[in-house]
Amino acid sequence: MRISVIGCGYLGAVHASAMAELGHDVVGIDVDESKVAALAAGRPPFYEPGLPEILASATASGRLRFSTDIADAAGAEVHFLAVGTPQAADTGAADVSHVDAAFAALLPHLVEGALVVGKSTVPVGTAARLADRLAAEAGHASLAWNPEFLREGFAVKDTLAPDRLVYGVAKGDDHAASVLDHVYRAAIEAGTPRIVTDYATAELVKVAANAFLATKISFINAMSEIADATGADVTALADAIGHDARIGRRFLNAGVGFGGGCLPKDIRGFTARAEELGLGETFAFLAEVDAINLRQRRRVVDLAVADLGGSAIGKKVAVLGVTFKPDSDDVRDSPALDIAASLQELGADVVATDPEGIENARERRPGLRYASTMREALSGADLVILATEWNEYRTLDPEAAGRLVGERRVIDGRNVLDPAAWRAAGWRYRGIGRP
Ligand code: UGA
């Protein structure tokens, strides 16, 4: 099919590449010239495993092009809207101005029977509003809402082989569902569950999923606080309750909490939208989920200061990881980076390192000191904080690391190290909610 993808950020760049990989003829549109130039040259502007390969093969085959001119989207049968919906600084609501602008720019280029497909995470009600506008200004085209559930680090796999497909369509619009079935034929043939529903449900599925995941993480982090207060072990607790299939073990890892461009923003956007709908009280618990999450960062900072004998001033602290999760170079709302910056503000000599995120971290926190190697970060450190569970940090040898540091003190902000092995190597080990 002829497809356009409008917005080539994380979501759009992966989606455009994956659609071309599936054999479609794709044009990616973005207003950012440098991003378009990089993508057109087959270079992803961010780190995502597997993306360089499919981007390079799709651009080389001619099935994938990029442009800054929305007119190049003209003629496509399907147009995916994949622009960002950042958090508004004042209200916390999702800012849909980029969606509105992209949609308005696209309108004059829609051919007979074209399908506009929203992928961006939007406040419930947005699709119905856009559909009304479409009916008034381009009645020969139609709209579907098809939320995206890809995870950074697994974005290519999640797009090529999603665990479910959700189509929000207008009442009686069988055409939209059949067009999307065609787009996702490979996934459908592989048996991917597909839910066809209305616009509002499709929009809510996305925020409900992220709100639920955030709640799960904050639940276990709250349990980690009570574990710390009572000498219990939150990891064993998570293992035990996780065996209950109704609960499940995934997303029950206590630690520095969630960050990134999605979970924090989405729960705030969802709360703001619920308030607009008069349901502020019903969703007030999400503010608590947010508060528990942010408190985890403070807890780690407090723990670090206590470990350093009550003051961080002049102490060298090695922070392993700056990204919000491993296998990504994304530092948006990263707990690791916040912790590093807070300790620096308290007078510590902080050195942060990361396999992929230093460049982005430097842009966001230029005042922090960065080391390009773990060895340099660890060298002479009074305290080590594992803040992002990159594989090379989880598998760190306590004996070898011990020879580099000044003091054998470690805070395992992700509960991924083996406390017994680290203690046996002479380290003072502190986890989150672990005795
Ligand atoms: C999240 C969702 O998982 C995706 O399904 C969704 O499509 C995406 O947001 C989005 O809205 O675009 P992502 O932001 O890539 O994906 O990251 P997650 O894997 O969900 O992790 C979020 C944060 O939670 C990370 O900081 C991670 O370290 C933290 N986390 C995760 C925990 O602290 N504990 C856990 O047990 C799991």
Side-chain angles (χ1 to χ4, degrees):
M1 299 195 84
R2 292 190 60 193
I3 290 177
S4 87
V5 178
I6 298 150
C8 293
Y10 221 106
L11 163 59
V14 174
H15 194 70
S17 307
M19 292 302 104
E21 173 77 11
L22 292 173
H24 299 299
D25 181 12
V26 184
V27 58
I29 310 283
D30 200 287
V31 290
D32 182 334
E33 281 180 21
S34 63
K35 197 181 280 176
V36 163
L39 287 165
R43 273 184 285 111
F46 50 83
Y47 176 80
E48 179 63 40
L51 182 59
E53 292 79 1
I54 63 166
L55 176 64
S57 78
T59 45
S61 72
R63 279 197 315 279
L64 177 59
R65 293 166 300 117
F66 291 93
S67 169
T68 53
D69 186 358
I70 189 91
D72 286 328
E77 301 155 86
V78 183
H79 302 271
F80 285 102
L81 293 178
V83 295
T85 50
Q87 181 185 320
D90 46 352
T91 58
D95 170 4
V96 292
S97 60
H98 301 302
V99 175
D100 286 339
F103 183 77
L106 181 62
L107 280 177
H109 304 290
L110 295 173
V111 296
E112 183 72 39
L115 181 65
V116 180
V117 184
K119 277 210 134 340
S120 309
T121 302
V122 291
V124 58
T126 305
R129 177 169 63 74
L130 296 181
D132 285 347
R133 182 158 180 204
L134 198 64
E137 296 177 41
H140 53 284
S142 56
L143 179 83
W145 216 264
N146 170 222
E148 180 55 57
F149 307 106
L150 68 79
R151 299 158 297 167
E152 293 188 17
F154 301 92
V156 172
K157 181 195 151 289
D158 286 350
T159 308
L160 290 174
D163 56 10
R164 79 280 210 192
L165 289 162
V166 176
Y167 308 163
V169 301
K171 218 183 180 95
D173 186 357
D174 298 334
H175 171 71
S178 73
V179 170
L180 285 171
D181 279 351
H182 203 88
V183 170
Y184 297 123
R185 196 172 66 196
I188 303 252
E189 282 174 358
T192 308
R194 152 191 175 283
I195 289 139
V196 183
T197 182
D198 53 84
Y199 291 142
T201 306
E203 291 166 319
L204 283 172
V205 166
K206 171 65 196 225
V207 280
N210 278 358
F212 191 84
L213 293 172
T215 303
K216 219 176 159 185
I217 299 168
S218 279
F219 176 84
I220 203 67
N221 279 331
M223 295 309 296
S224 81
E225 286 192 54
I226 203 163
D228 272 341
T230 56
D233 182 346
V234 76
T235 307
L237 180 137
D239 290 344
I241 62 172
H243 281 301
D244 182 333
R246 294 170 303 174
I247 297 173
R249 179 62 178 84
R250 295 174 75 188
F251 271 67
L252 278 186
N253 294 318
V256 297
F258 59 79
C262 303
L263 262 47
K265 160 179 99 70
D266 287 356
I267 57 170
R268 292 167 200 155
F270 187 23
T271 307
R273 185 66 183 124
E275 279 164 6
E276 280 171 16
L277 293 166
L279 295 170
E281 207 180 322
T282 310
F283 287 97
F285 75 94
L286 286 179
E288 209 45 55
V289 166
D290 200 4
I292 292 168
N293 187 55
L294 294 176
R295 193 157 63 231
Q296 290 302 99
R297 304 177 187 189
R298 272 207 321 275
R299 284 180 67 207
V300 172
V301 172
D302 291 348
L303 196 59
V305 173
D307 253 10
L308 291 168
S311 167
I313 295 172
K315 300 285 173 55
K316 181 171 174 190
V317 180
V319 176
L320 304 185
V322 296
T323 54
F324 84 103
K325 67 189 279 192
D327 296 317
S328 166
D329 63 0
D330 196 340
V331 299
R332 287 176 293 172
D333 210 338
S334 167
L337 203 50
D338 264 10
I339 290 166
S342 299
L343 283 167
Q344 191 190 42
E345 275 161 28
L346 292 172
D349 171 20
V350 176
V351 183
T353 187
D354 193 280
E356 296 292 339
I358 292 179
E359 208 179 307
N360 286 341
R362 194 172 267 132
E363 226 167 82
R364 205 157 277 239
R365 297 273 189 188
L368 267 178
R369 190 145 73 90
Y370 299 96
S372 53
T373 63
M374 181 160 55
R375 166 175 280 274
E376 189 189 333
L378 291 176
S379 158
D382 296 299
L383 171 68
V384 178
I385 302 179
L386 191 161
T388 313
E389 71 279 31
W390 286 91
N391 203 38
E392 55 209 271
Y393 305 152
R394 322 171 67 114
T395 55
L396 193 59
D397 172 19
E399 207 29 79
R403 285 195 289 273
L404 295 172
V405 297
E407 296 285 340
R408 296 191 177 199
R409 294 190 194 112
V410 64
I411 295 177
D412 179 4
R414 297 288 186 165
N415 287 350
V416 290
L417 303 176
D418 175 2
W422 282 71
R423 285 183 181 130
W427 287 78
R428 184 152 101 198
Y429 172 94
R430 305 288 293 257
I432 310 297
R434 278 176 137 180

